[in-house]
Amino acid sequence: SINFKNISTDPPKTQGFCTFKPLPPAEAQEERHFLDLIALPETPLVPTPLSLEQTSHPANSTFTILPKSGGGEWHVGDQLEVLIKMFDFQGHAKKTGGDFLVAALHSKGLGAGVTGRVVDHLNGSYSALFPLLWEGSTRVEVILLHTSEAVTVLRMLNIERPDRVIFKGVFRSGSVSETTVCNVCLPPSNQSQCNYTDLHTGDPWFCYKPQKLSCEARVSHRITGYKYQGIKNEKEKLFQKGVNLKVYIKASGPDSVTVLPQTGGQSGPDDGSEKLGPSGYYYKGVWRALDGTRLQQFNNSTAISQCLKGKMVYMYGDSTLRQWFEYFKASLPDAQEINLNNPVRVGPFMILDNANNFVLTYRIHGLPLRIFSIPASKERYVANELDGLIGGTNTVVVLSIWAHFSTFPFELFIRRMQSIRRAVVRLLDRAPGTLVVIRTGNVQTVRQSGMMNNSDWYVYQINLVLRAMFKGLNVQWIDAWGMVLAHDLAHNLHPPPPIIKNMVNVLLSYICPKK
Ligand SMILES: *[C@@H]1O[C@H](CO)[C@@H](O)[C@H](O)[C@H]1NC(C)=O
Ligand SMILES: *[C@@H]1O[C@H](CO)[C@@H](O)[C@H](O)[C@H]1NC(C)=O
Ligand SMILES: *[C@@H]1O[C@H](CO)[C@@H](O)[C@H](O)[C@H]1NC(C)=O
Ligand SMILES: *[C@@H]1O[C@H](CO)[C@@H](O)[C@H](O)[C@H]1NC(C)=O
Ligand SMILES: *[C@@H]1O[C@H](CO)[C@@H](O)[C@H](O)[C@H]1NC(C)=O
Ligand SMILES: *[C@@H]1O[C@H](CO)[C@@H](O)[C@H](O)[C@H]1NC(C)=O
Ligand SMILES: *[C@@H]1O[C@H](CO)[C@@H](O)[C@H](O)[C@H]1NC(C)=O
């Protein structure tokens, strides 16, 4: 994770056309609090016309493993510190912070990995701090995900171009069919709009009114593409794969250390002294918790179905949660899938095991959705679904809501989660034994320029909001951000099977805590 010191809490000096309706005072204040939480240090202005010369350049930047304080060799239980120095394309040291860097330790042969905590000194240098948790040789990896200048662009884009993903509504009645543009907010125009704002949750959605048909005739929603008008093409220079987007920073000296066994003197990694550190790490490919959770392995269908006995598991979220549903389906050959022809990727889907008396369901969250097509009749906001649950000790709710929000102003995500949190609070009030588990967002595969639609920076910010939003409530976390970064498999929006297996094992460990 990244810590910014002396952050500026001024909102970006730009105005978009997305206006959100006023909130009640307490929620408005909380929204302000979350916006402050994710405020950035003053990131450098992007020069117009854009010249890369003074922007961060990973190829000219380096990291250095600092010697152990007090000298001597590295042991399990020590903290490793790495100093990162950023330079621009001309080879001058950067003087400002805001570069979005992540760091990890990997020991490939051991299947071991852990993320580091990155601290921005706001002067062009950064520290990465790692707990040393296993013996042997381990390599430091530092990755620049986005330059500070690219972050400035991303921040503006979500305010100025919240419509850069093109959504359409299909309207039909009898033989008449029409299609219009839809979004969370539509650019000003003289066309009338249909208002599909949810009456219970307040979640906004609008479409231009079709010429012939009425607003009630909307039958489905879809993504039709991405548009880039208004975004100066030259800004894409800040999003060049292998140049200034998701690039490894090289070491100025050695990039590895050898870690010796723990000696009597160290406090050890599991005593809670790493409170600000990672939530867990991989060893021999298996995720181990550092936050006190006792994790177990559920290696076969018997172990999984024994754990799920008598449970109702409700999963609501994007495709990153559908992956878990698919994992369960593949791991439970004796359970029955009941699909009732529900649309692909949308659901609701269900796995039922009569013998063990459990049921698992998955349903996609409400709009916005970058999905090829979803019938309007299947659109559901998660908060409304939660209000329909009785809850109790046999009920498990799993949430993963993040990947479809990255092109919008932060207010959209904050308000969506506020309404979901209110529903979680109601659920836990009426049925305190209910288990609620939240999966965070994770880093993604880089596509050439694709990061302008989908950015790791945005995901990191909404993870901060998520954690703060549910703080103090009885919910459990699955740290997908850390679990993907700490693994040596490539970053992927849809993490590959070995990571999914670990995530599901964390979920099952929450459902069936070791006695
Ligand atoms: C910085 O990077 C540029 C472009 O890759 C290269 O031409 C230049 O030699 C580098 N300068 C230093 C000081 O490394
Ligand atoms: C940047 O700030 C850090 C922390 O305050 C300090 O240790 C370091 O010397 C500074 N670096 C430069 C180049 O000013
Ligand atoms: C809307 O119509 C008015 C009057 O015809 C016109 O002056 C205005 O420019 C139009 N606005 C937009 C956004 O098209
Ligand atoms: C849309 O509908 C909601 C709910 O009825 C209402 O609060 C909101 O003001 C409407 N928005 C617009 C722009 O008409
Ligand atoms: C599950 O499998 C892993 C890896 O094959 C193994 O290390 C572990 O001991 C197994 N756990 C149980 C409970 O069988
Ligand atoms: C399944 O895993 C459990 C616990 O890890 C183990 O005790 C059991 O023998 C395994 N069953 C089969 C069929 O492999
Ligand atoms: C993002 O935007 C670029 C540039 O318009 C486009 O080529 C790409 O397909 C978009 N989508 C994704 C998922 O990257």
Side-chain angles (χ1 to χ4, degrees):
S1 60
I2 299 198
N3 280 12
F4 292 119
K5 297 196 222 151
N6 308 322
I7 50 173
S8 138
T9 59
D10 297 337
K13 291 167 195 62
T14 176
Q15 275 300 311
F17 58 82
C18 233
T19 51
F20 293 92
K21 70 171 203 265
L23 290 175
E27 279 162 41
Q29 194 182 351
E30 192 193 46
E31 181 177 77
R32 188 67 241 164
H33 164 75
F34 290 132
L35 290 171
D36 286 351
L37 176 79
I38 56 181
L40 289 168
E42 288 293 344
T43 46
L45 288 176
V46 179
T48 355
L50 181 71
S51 147
L52 289 183
E53 287 183 355
Q54 288 173 27
T55 66
S56 302
H57 191 40
N60 289 356
S61 305
T62 57
F63 73 82
T64 310
I65 299 175
L66 299 184
K68 180 173 166 175
S69 66
E73 298 188 285
W74 296 104
H75 291 270
V76 170
D78 288 341
Q79 177 174 266
L80 184 74
E81 183 173 353
V82 164
L83 183 67
I84 305 156
K85 287 194 162 169
M86 296 302 296
F87 290 80
D88 65 20
F89 272 72
Q90 294 177 315
H92 297 132
K94 294 278 289 188
K95 301 255 181 329
T96 51
D99 289 314
F100 185 38
L101 293 153
V102 290
L105 290 182
H106 288 295
S107 297
K108 243 196 162 107
L110 282 174
V114 69
T115 56
R117 184 163 66 88
V118 177
V119 179
D120 185 348
H121 298 303
L122 299 173
N123 60 6
S125 72
Y126 301 76
S127 296
L129 307 163
F130 306 88
L132 294 178
L133 299 162
W134 61 85
E135 295 166 28
S137 170
T138 189
R139 202 164 55 83
V140 175
E141 269 179 21
V142 178
I143 305 175
L144 176 86
L145 293 182
H146 285 295
T147 64
S148 51
E149 292 84 6
V151 168
T152 306
V153 170
L154 287 170
R155 201 180 181 198
M156 299 294 201
L157 272 180
N158 282 12
I159 295 168
E160 291 172 356
R161 307 302 314 185
D163 60 338
R164 65 195 191 277
V165 179
I166 306 170
F167 296 114
K168 295 221 168 127
V170 178
F171 297 77
R172 192 177 307 126
S173 178
S175 59
V176 185
S177 177
E178 288 179 75
T179 302
T180 70
V181 168
C182 306
N183 215 313
V184 165
C185 32
L186 294 168
S189 121
N190 282 337
Q191 268 174 280
S192 349
Q193 298 184 5
C194 299
N195 181 350
Y196 299 105
T197 300
D198 187 90
L199 293 178
H200 294 115
T201 64
D203 290 307
W205 193 256
F206 297 91
C207 298
Y208 290 121
K209 192 179 171 310
Q211 302 280 315
K212 304 190 195 91
L213 296 174
S214 76
C215 291
E216 283 79 55
R218 192 175 70 99
V219 293
S220 65
H221 160 87
R222 62 181 48 179
I223 178 174
T224 60
Y226 298 84
K227 72 172 161 194
Y228 263 59
Q229 78 214 51
I231 300 165
K232 294 254 172 10
N233 235 355
E234 57 164 25
K235 296 227 169 80
E236 298 217 12
K237 287 188 209 149
L238 289 168
F239 299 87
Q240 295 178 67
K241 185 177 172 180
V243 177
N244 49 15
L245 172 67
K246 227 171 246 215
V247 193
Y248 287 95
I249 306 275
K250 61 185 183 299
S252 64
D255 65 356
S256 308
V257 292
T258 299
V259 184
L260 302 175
Q262 187 164 352
T263 60
Q266 283 95 22
S267 51
D270 292 296
D271 68 349
S273 61
E274 285 298 332
K275 282 226 160 55
L276 290 170
S279 69
Y281 65 105
Y282 287 102
Y283 189 74
K284 296 193 173 151
V286 173
W287 183 252
R288 298 179 170 194
L290 287 169
D291 59 6
T293 312
R294 295 183 69 186
L295 296 184
Q296 304 161 62
Q297 301 298 301
F298 297 82
N299 285 343
N300 56 45
S301 63
T302 317
I304 297 174
S305 50
Q306 284 305 309
C307 170
L308 293 176
K309 230 178 182 125
K311 302 284 181 190
M312 289 173 287
V313 182
Y314 299 94
M315 302 189 233
Y316 304 107
D318 53 37
S319 56
T320 63
L321 198 52
R322 202 180 70 239
Q323 282 189 286
W324 297 14
F325 184 84
E326 298 294 332
Y327 176 90
F328 278 119
K329 204 164 85 180
S331 309
L332 294 166
D334 295 337
Q336 200 185 346
E337 191 195 2
I338 299 174
N339 183 349
L340 304 172
N341 287 328
N342 280 323
V344 284
R345 293 161 193 267
V346 170
F349 304 123
M350 184 184 282
I351 299 171
L352 182 68
D353 183 328
N354 266 318
N356 291 298
N357 188 34
F358 68 79
V359 56
L360 290 153
T361 69
Y362 167 81
R363 166 159 230 158
I364 202 164
H365 67 66
L367 303 180
L369 289 171
R370 297 183 195 175
I371 189 167
F372 171 67
S373 184
I374 171 172
S377 60
K378 293 288 178 193
E379 295 166 3
R380 292 287 190 290
Y381 290 106
V382 172
N384 291 338
E385 291 294 292
L386 295 179
D387 283 342
L389 298 180
I390 292 172
T393 50
N394 288 335
T395 302
V396 180
V397 168
V398 190
L399 306 175
S400 176
I401 298 143
W402 58 279
H404 295 261
F405 288 80
S406 60
T407 49
F408 299 104
F410 285 115
E411 283 88 342
L412 182 73
F413 184 79
I414 292 174
R415 289 169 180 222
R416 178 66 51 93
M417 295 319 297
Q418 280 177 324
S419 86
I420 291 173
R421 184 189 52 187
R422 283 195 296 272
V424 166
V425 168
R426 287 191 289 269
L427 174 63
L428 293 175
D429 277 349
R430 69 177 175 273
T434 312
L435 173 64
V436 178
V437 180
I438 305 176
R439 180 205 190 280
T440 64
N442 56 264
V443 284
Q444 309 169 30
T445 314
V446 63
R447 290 190 185 85
Q448 190 77 36
S449 295
M451 284 287 147
M452 286 173 101
N453 323 326
N454 248 350
S455 98
D456 290 337
W457 169 78
Y458 186 90
V459 173
Y460 181 79
Q461 302 303 318
I462 63 174
N463 281 345
L464 289 179
V465 169
L466 258 185
R467 295 272 186 176
M469 178 90 67
F470 286 87
K471 199 173 174 177
L473 287 181
N474 188 18
V475 302
Q476 303 294 336
W477 294 93
I478 296 188
D479 175 21
W481 181 268
M483 292 181 81
V484 171
L485 271 183
H487 208 285
D488 56 23
L489 285 167
H491 299 177
N492 197 328
L493 171 73
H494 297 121
I499 299 179
I500 298 298
K501 180 182 162 111
N502 276 294
M503 289 175 169
V504 170
N505 278 334
V506 179
L507 172 65
L508 291 169
S509 300
Y510 288 139
I511 299 175
C512 305
K514 208 175 200 161
K515 289 181 191 82

